[in-house]
């Protein structure tokens, strides 16, 4: 690709410092050339080593914005660098095209969501191409295409067959605005993360993926990602999975056969359990309550159902609850303790019931104050302790009976002693608990992949036979799609009513659709064989390309998408369909593009339009500005950026390519040594800087090289020196990672065939990296008196001699007697003289 041909005749006049290139003309010219050459088409059969550069595919909500511009520019540095280093690079792009915005737009405009989706996708692709993102467009797809969601449905059925997709009735998160259920991951602080409405609870039968089966493994897998994933993503996932170690303890209930089992992380405090609390909305509360107390519980439940989870767990709310009319027995103190129902215990965590230890748990303490219940401390607080519940470590007190004595033990020892005792007595057992819940995947909305299940009165939940996939969406549009609490698909009766695949009797289709996070949990596999119509993906190809070597995207996906994709990968590995268990080896999170210190928003009127920026400064200058702004993880305040300055730099770099007068292929070995060293050092460091994601520093170094080359042309070796050509070619290749249009233009002016994107990384002559002199400092009485240029391997004796014979040193010594000379070759000579 880098064969040479004579330099074009259209060169600008030498040293014409005012010459500039025509941005529009350059962009149009090279877009056409790249369309023809397709330099970024990934070849499955290439003998080169493979690299997979993945960036999170967008939701097609309109045209590209500054956020896309940033992430694509950063991501492209790495993808293009890998090509230059000789890898075969898979860098695909597609669209996560199911979801609510298209559906809401369809209702507004009385059209089909597909119309809106397709129009946006076409605009986005055109903009991506103009933006010169190095995606392989031959592999693109949309998750809303039946050719794609056919396989989403197939995967759902595979999960179903393995017991990993199931239906259950339970209280779920309900968004009253979007009229659909939400996964726990989609509720942030009690608020719907899509529309901002307050989320309530509703009792519904819904589909779940059994992600909890993989809780421990999802946690363990993080260990191997620790060095290559952003620390905050790893920590967020760990916390979300939320492993805790504790015990299940059984409390016998007076007048009832089954005990109440609680989950506790503090079995050591069991002697201090003076009452019990059951989640008011757990089935257990209804089972335990006496007839006398039932009306009180029912009244209370009405209040509880209005509360968000976040409020229920908050520590600074007055405690409320209802006595259930029953008592249980503390298995260690053997005393009778009352059982309450309250909202601060959640129905779907642990067992939905707790032993309350007011001496050691603040919420229990507060509850005990309201209901006037006894407090028994079981851990001795420090002497100066003035607080309420003491949650720290300390010696156990009040913790003995005739069989077990914890007195004086610290928390850890008391825990394990208690667990052994309970296990021996059959009263409890040590256990591990996870905060992670199963993934609620069904949605009561139209624009998603239909759940491929048929409900039959005789055969129950029957999978749609594989040869009948995909179950395509029935044609609904406009107001038919209005949310009404149940899925709009229910209204398409012709579509809903089918015969049972097993018995042939009357049956109905499941009318829910899958959460869009199901679509995006496996898209990275599909890119490896995107048009395969026999299978979801080709295992051999996936194993050849994956795991992906870098995943670039927003930190907002730390839990949802990144956890679900990891879960899918583990299941697919268990199915024998992929030979790895983590899909993304390394990850980079970009910051936000903000303006005037604030998030861009319509209401603040501080939005920056990408199209306007590109029109004013060109694609290259916008990309360069975004990459040069700072470390990729940091936010970029556009108000502080200077795309004008970026453009000026690019023009300066371009002018260099006009000045070179040596021929392509000229031997640089006899060229100006200083410039050759600068070029070699820059290229060498640039590689390391890209590999460690310090792209901004790489750009700064390219800028320095441009300045050094300009100096060499104007006042040093002149434009004919082959070292100048070597430097300018290096500049073009470095710029090809960031500013592809101007880099291509330079490359052509330097007499090469397109494309610079595949020219290959410049070969660095290692000898040029060796410094041939270092500066040695000579001090007399601690004061620097001279600097000597010496060889890096000078001996101590030679360095001492050189220092003592230096003119400035001789002058300062002025004949005084030297008492001591300390030599640290090659950098320092320190001379001490008689006072
Ligand atoms: C007694 C105890 C004493 C507790 C003590 C804590 C401190 P993590 O670490 O988050 O797993 N708990 C158990 N199930 C609950 C539920 N469904 N709703 C609300 N709280 C629940 O928390 C486990 C602790 O949270 C358990 O340990 C239990 O209170 C409470 F000094 O048991 B503990």
């Amino acid at each position: 690709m880098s064969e040479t041909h004579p330099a074009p005749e259209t060169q600008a006049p030498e040293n014409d410092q005012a010459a500039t290139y025509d941005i529009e003309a350059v962009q149009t010219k090279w877009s056409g050339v790249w369309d023809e050459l397709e330099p970024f088409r990934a070849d499955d059969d290439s003998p080169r080593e493979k690299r997979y550069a993945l960036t999170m595919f967008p939701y097609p909500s309109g045209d590209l914005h500054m956020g896309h511009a940033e992430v694509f520019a950063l991501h492209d540095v790495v993808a293009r660098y890998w090509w230059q280093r000789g890898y075969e690079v898979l860098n695909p792009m597609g669209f996560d095209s199911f979801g609510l915005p298209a559906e809401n737009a369809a209702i507004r405009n009385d059209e089909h969501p597909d119309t809106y989706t397709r129009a946006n996708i076409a605009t986005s692709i055109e903009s991506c191409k103009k933006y010169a993102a190095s995606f392989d467009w031959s592999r693109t797809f949309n998750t809303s295409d039946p050719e794609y969601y056919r396989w989403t449905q197939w995967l759902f059925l595979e999960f179903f067959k393995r017991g990993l997709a199931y239906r259950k009735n339970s209280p779920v998160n309900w968004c009253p605005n979007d009229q659909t259920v939400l996964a726990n991951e989609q509720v942030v602080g009690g608020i719907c993360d899509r529309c901002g409405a307050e989320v309530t609870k509703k009792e519904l039968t819904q589909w779940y993926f059994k992600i909890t089966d993989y809780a421990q493994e999802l946690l363990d897998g993080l260990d191997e990602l620790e060095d290559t994933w952003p620390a905050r993503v790893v920590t967020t996932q760990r916390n979300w999975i939320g492993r805790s170690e504790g015990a299940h303890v059984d409390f016998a209930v007076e007048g009832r056969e089954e005990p109440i089992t609680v989950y506790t992380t503090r079995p050591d405090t069991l002697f201090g359990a003076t009452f019990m609390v059951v989640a008011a909305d757990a089935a257990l509360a209804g089972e335990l309550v006496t007839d006398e107390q039932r009306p009180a519980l029912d009244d209370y439940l009405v209040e509880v159902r209005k509360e968000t989870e976040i409020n229920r767990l908050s520590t600074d709310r007055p405690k409320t609850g209802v006595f259930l009319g029953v008592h249980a027995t503390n298995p260690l103190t053997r005393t009778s303790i009352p059982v309450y129902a309250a909202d601060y215990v959640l129905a779907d965590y642990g067992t939905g019931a707790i032993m309350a230890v007011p001496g050691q748990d603040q919420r229990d303490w507060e509850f005990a104050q309201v209901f006037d219940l006894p407090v028994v401390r079981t851990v001795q607080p420090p002497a100066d302790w003035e607080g309420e519940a003491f949650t720290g470590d300390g010696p156990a007190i009040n913790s003995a009976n005739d069989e077990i004595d914890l007195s004086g033990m610290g928390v850890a020892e008391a825990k394990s002693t208690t667990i052994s005792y309970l296990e021996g007595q059959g009263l409890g057992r040590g256990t591990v608990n996870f905060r992670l819940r199963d993934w609620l995947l069904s949605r009561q909305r139209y624009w998603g992949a239909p759940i491929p299940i048929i409900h039959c009165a005789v055969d129950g939940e029957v999978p749609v036979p594989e040869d009948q996939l995909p179950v395509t969406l029935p044609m609904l549009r406009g107001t038919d799609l209005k949310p009404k609490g149940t899925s709009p698909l229910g209204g398409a009766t012709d579509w809903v009513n089918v015969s049972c695949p097993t018995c042939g009797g009357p049956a109905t289709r499941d009318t829910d659709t899958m959460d869009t996070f199901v679509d995006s949990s496996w898209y990275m596999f599909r890119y490896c064989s995107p048009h395969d119509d026999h299978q979801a993906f080709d295992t051999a190809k996936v194993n050849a390309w994956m795991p992906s070597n870098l995943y670039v995207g927003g930190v907002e996906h730390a839990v949802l998408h990144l956890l679900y994709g990891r879960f899918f990968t583990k299941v697919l590995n268990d199915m024998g369909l992929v030979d790895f268990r983590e899909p993304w080896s390394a990850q980079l999170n970009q910051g936000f593009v903000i303006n005037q210190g604030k998030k861009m928003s319509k209401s603040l009127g501080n939005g920056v339009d990408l199209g306007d920026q590109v029109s004013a400064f060109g694609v290259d200058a916008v990309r360069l500005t975004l990459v040069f702004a700072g470390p990729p993880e940091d936010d970029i305040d556009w108000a502080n950026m200077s795309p004008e300055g970026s453009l000026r730099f690019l023009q300066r770099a371009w002018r260099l390519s006009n000045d070179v007068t040596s021929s392509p292929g000229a031997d640089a070995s006899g060229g100006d040594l200083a410039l050759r060293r600068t070029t070699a050092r820059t290229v060498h460091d640039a590689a390391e800087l890209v590999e460690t994601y310090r792209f901004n520093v790489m750009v700064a170094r390219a800028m320095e090289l441009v300045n050094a080359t300009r100096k060499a042309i104007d006042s040093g070796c002149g434009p004919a020196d082959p070292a100048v050509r070597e430097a300018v070619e290096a500049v073009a290749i470095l710029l090809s990672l960031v500013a592809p249009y101007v880099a291509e233009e330079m490359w052509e002016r330097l007499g090469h065939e397109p494309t610079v994107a595949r020219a290959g990384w410049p070969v660095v002559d290692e000898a040029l990296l060796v410094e041939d002199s270092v500066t040695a400092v000579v001090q007399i009485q601690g004061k620097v008196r001279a600097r000597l240029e010496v060889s890096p391997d000078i001996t101590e004796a030679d360095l001492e001699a050189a220092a003592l014979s230096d003119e400035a040193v001789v002058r300062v010594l002025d004949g005084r007697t030297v008492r001591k000379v300390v030599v640290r070759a090659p950098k320092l000579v320190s001379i001490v003289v008689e006072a």
Side-chain angles (χ1 to χ4, degrees):
M1 298 249 171
S2 59
E3 278 162 38
T4 54
H5 71 111
E9 320 241 297
T10 52
Q11 277 193 349
E14 245 175 68
N15 286 335
D16 177 359
Q17 294 302 304
T20 53
Y21 62 89
D22 176 343
I23 298 170
E24 275 296 327
V26 164
Q27 288 180 180
T28 312
K29 170 175 156 193
W30 292 111
S31 296
V33 174
W34 295 330
D35 276 349
E36 216 163 283
L37 289 180
E38 297 197 320
F40 307 115
R41 219 177 159 127
D43 178 2
D44 294 325
D45 303 319
S46 164
R48 301 151 175 262
E49 198 181 313
K50 292 182 165 58
R51 285 282 165 106
Y52 188 170
L54 185 64
T55 181
M56 292 178 186
F57 68 164
Y59 179 80
S61 51
D63 200 356
L64 300 187
H65 53 62
M66 291 302 282
H68 297 121
E70 181 200 13
V71 65
F72 293 165
L74 295 171
H75 174 78
D76 229 30
V77 173
V78 178
R80 288 171 171 272
Y81 169 76
W82 283 342
W83 279 116
Q84 298 288 27
R85 294 310 301 237
Y87 295 101
E88 190 70 22
V89 182
L90 173 56
N91 181 22
M93 178 48 57
F95 295 89
D96 191 12
S97 51
F98 269 140
L100 279 181
E103 195 167 329
N104 292 337
I107 297 167
R108 256 194 330 270
N109 308 327
D110 191 24
E111 60 182 19
H112 192 272
D114 198 49
T115 315
Y116 168 91
T117 307
R118 290 207 182 274
N120 284 343
I121 289 174
T123 311
S124 297
I125 292 181
E126 203 178 306
S127 299
C128 276
K129 285 188 174 169
K130 178 168 184 187
Y131 197 62
S134 67
F135 298 128
D136 177 354
W137 289 106
S138 72
R139 292 178 184 251
T140 194
F141 55 75
N142 311 323
T143 57
S144 58
D145 294 339
E147 302 79 48
Y148 182 87
Y149 72 70
R150 166 184 180 177
W151 301 112
T152 307
Q153 292 174 334
W154 179 82
L155 285 164
F156 173 90
L157 290 178
E158 288 299 309
F159 279 49
F160 179 74
K161 286 177 201 160
R162 283 169 174 73
L164 291 171
Y166 69 97
R167 241 162 44 123
K168 76 169 174 198
N169 184 279
S170 70
V172 298
N173 301 308
W174 178 258
C175 173
N177 180 44
D178 290 336
Q179 296 271 306
T180 185
V181 300
L182 299 169
N184 281 354
E185 288 82 355
Q186 290 166 323
V187 182
V188 181
I191 300 292
C192 169
D193 79 340
R194 301 180 171 229
C195 72
E198 200 159 301
V199 173
T200 58
K201 288 273 180 184
K202 201 167 169 173
E203 191 88 21
L204 283 173
T205 299
Q206 296 290 319
W207 285 97
Y208 293 82
F209 279 140
K210 221 167 179 193
I211 191 170
T212 51
D213 270 11
Y214 287 81
Q216 185 61 50
E217 233 226 286
L218 286 164
L219 194 63
D220 294 343
L222 292 172
D223 295 346
E224 76 184 63
L225 300 173
E226 209 144 28
D227 297 334
T228 49
W229 274 36
R232 60 177 167 167
V233 175
V234 172
T235 308
T236 314
Q237 287 214 2
R238 282 214 177 100
N239 291 342
W240 186 261
I241 296 167
R243 184 192 147 107
S244 65
E245 282 175 30
H248 280 143
V249 184
D250 302 328
F251 286 69
V253 183
E254 290 156 22
R256 188 179 190 255
E257 192 121 339
E258 305 90 72
I260 300 175
T261 303
V262 302
Y263 173 66
T264 175
T265 44
R266 294 290 305 275
D268 60 298
T269 64
L270 183 46
F271 279 99
T274 52
F275 60 100
M276 300 186 77
V277 184
V278 177
D281 50 343
L284 181 63
E287 288 166 23
L288 288 170
V289 70
T290 56
D291 291 343
E292 203 179 323
Q293 288 298 90
R294 190 174 297 277
L297 176 65
D298 289 345
D299 288 349
Y300 182 56
L301 263 175
V302 174
E303 298 308 308
V304 172
R305 294 217 197 276
K306 289 187 197 148
E307 281 305 335
T308 61
E309 194 156 301
I310 208 87
N311 273 345
R312 289 179 60 166
L313 285 173
S314 126
T315 42
D316 53 3
R317 256 171 92 235
K319 291 285 168 289
T320 57
V322 171
F323 177 49
L324 291 176
V326 291
H327 286 82
T329 307
N330 181 318
L332 297 190
T333 63
R334 292 152 195 160
T335 51
S336 175
I337 59 176
V339 183
Y340 285 79
D343 63 357
Y344 78 97
V345 173
L346 301 178
D348 61 354
Y349 185 70
T351 62
I354 66 160
M355 63 181 214
V357 185
Q360 261 69 237
D361 183 290
Q362 186 60 27
R363 285 178 300 170
D364 297 344
W365 171 283
E366 285 157 15
F367 194 89
Q369 303 311 306
V370 175
F371 290 87
D372 200 16
L373 294 159
V375 178
V376 177
R377 287 193 191 280
T378 57
V379 178
Q380 178 70 58
D384 55 354
W385 176 254
E386 286 176 0
E388 300 172 336
F390 175 65
T391 56
D393 204 345
I397 51 171
N398 301 323
S399 298
N401 64 22
D402 45 7
E403 288 179 6
I404 171 171
D405 186 355
L406 309 175
S407 307
M409 290 182 189
V411 169
E413 190 189 357
K415 268 190 198 177
S416 56
T417 309
T418 308
I419 291 174
S420 311
Y421 173 78
L422 292 172
E423 284 176 348
Q425 302 290 310
L427 291 170
R429 57 245 136 239
T431 183
V432 170
N433 198 58
F434 293 94
R435 209 175 83 87
L436 184 68
R437 300 280 73 125
D438 277 342
W439 168 11
L440 198 177
L441 71 107
S442 43
R443 296 289 178 274
Q444 290 70 53
R445 297 299 300 250
Y446 173 76
W447 194 230
I451 291 180
I453 291 286
I454 291 169
H455 299 281
C456 168
V458 179
D459 297 300
E461 293 158 355
V462 183
V464 171
E466 217 177 301
D467 61 3
Q468 288 172 31
L469 296 180
V471 176
T472 48
L473 283 165
M475 197 52 180
L476 296 182
R477 46 180 291 140
T479 47
D480 291 347
L481 305 177
K482 267 216 163 116
K484 30 189 170 297
T486 55
S487 172
L489 290 177
T493 42
D494 287 352
W495 180 87
V496 171
N497 295 315
V498 288
S499 45
C500 169
T502 308
C503 70
T508 53
R509 287 191 190 283
D510 198 292
T511 55
D512 284 352
T513 55
M514 292 186 233
D515 180 11
T516 55
F517 280 104
V518 182
D519 309 329
S520 55
S521 291
W522 72 280
Y523 82 116
M524 57 284 189
F525 303 112
R526 184 71 181 170
Y527 283 137
C528 300
S529 56
H531 310 301
D532 197 326
D533 54 6
H534 298 295
Q535 51 191 348
F537 52 83
D538 180 318
T539 293
K541 287 181 181 165
V542 165
N543 288 340
W545 284 112
M546 290 190 75
S548 120
N549 305 82
L550 180 64
Y551 199 16
V552 182
V555 73
E556 66 275 18
H557 293 290
V559 186
L560 288 149
H561 165 58
L562 293 174
L563 192 69
Y564 295 155
R566 294 182 60 223
F567 162 58
F568 260 59
T569 305
K570 291 173 194 304
V571 175
L572 293 172
N573 178 261
D574 287 342
M575 288 165 66
L577 292 181
V578 303
D579 68 3
F580 47 89
R581 289 184 84 76
E582 291 291 341
W584 305 294
S585 304
Q587 199 195 136
L588 176 66
N589 297 140
Q590 80 280 7
F592 289 102
V593 186
I594 57 174
N595 193 23
Q596 296 151 352
K598 292 186 200 76
K599 212 178 147 199
M600 292 188 211
S601 85
K602 273 203 187 110
S603 57
L604 289 174
N606 68 340
V608 176
D609 184 72
L610 175 61
D612 292 349
Q613 298 296 316
V614 165
S615 305
F617 308 107
V619 168
D620 285 345
V622 171
R623 289 177 58 137
L624 185 99
T625 305
L626 290 164
V627 174
F628 185 51
E633 300 85 354
D634 289 4
D635 289 349
I636 299 174
D637 192 334
W638 195 252
N640 302 334
M641 295 297 123
S642 169
E644 302 88 338
S646 299
L647 182 57
R648 273 196 304 275
F649 159 70
L650 292 173
Q651 300 281 17
R652 227 170 28 243
W654 170 81
R655 280 193 292 268
L656 290 179
S657 65
N658 295 328
D659 290 358
V660 173
T661 54
S662 58
S663 302
D667 178 11
S669 58
D672 182 80
L673 194 58
L675 182 58
R676 293 206 72 209
R677 281 185 194 286
T678 307
T679 306
R681 177 57 56 196
T682 305
V683 170
H684 172 270
D685 294 355
E688 198 196 309
L689 290 166
V690 173
E691 277 161 31
T692 51
Y693 313 142
R694 285 176 292 164
F695 312 140
N696 57 321
V697 185
M698 186 273 286
V699 170
R701 297 295 301 276
M703 289 173 169
E704 284 165 22
L705 181 57
V706 166
N707 292 342
T709 313
R710 169 53 60 203
K711 217 162 139 196
I713 294 174
D714 290 350
S715 53
C717 56
D721 191 310
V724 169
R725 164 172 286 277
E726 184 181 46
V728 181
E729 290 189 351
V731 169
I733 292 170
L734 293 180
L735 284 184
S736 77
L737 312 186
V738 187
Y741 286 110
V742 74
E744 200 75 86
E745 190 68 17
M746 289 175 72
W747 199 240
E748 183 182 66
R749 283 171 184 272
L750 287 163
H752 297 291
E753 290 282 356
T755 163
V756 68
R758 299 289 300 273
W761 196 247
V763 179
V764 175
D765 179 352
E766 294 287 325
L768 293 171
L769 298 175
V770 180
E771 293 174 52
D772 63 349
S773 74
V774 289
T775 306
V777 169
V778 186
Q779 297 178 341
I780 300 173
Q781 306 295 76
K783 257 198 178 153
V784 176
R785 295 298 189 178
R787 287 193 167 77
L788 311 175
E789 284 306 306
V790 299
S791 151
D793 33 337
I794 190 166
T795 63
E796 311 245 291
D798 285 353
L799 182 56
E800 181 173 341
L804 291 173
S805 59
D806 179 83
E807 218 179 289
V809 173
V810 171
R811 203 171 44 245
V812 178
L813 286 178
D814 195 21
R816 278 182 291 177
T817 316
V818 173
R819 201 153 55 89
K820 198 165 133 197
V821 183
V822 179
V823 185
R824 294 272 175 274
K827 294 254 160 122
L828 177 77
V829 180
S830 178
I831 302 168
V832 183
V833 293
E834 297 280 332

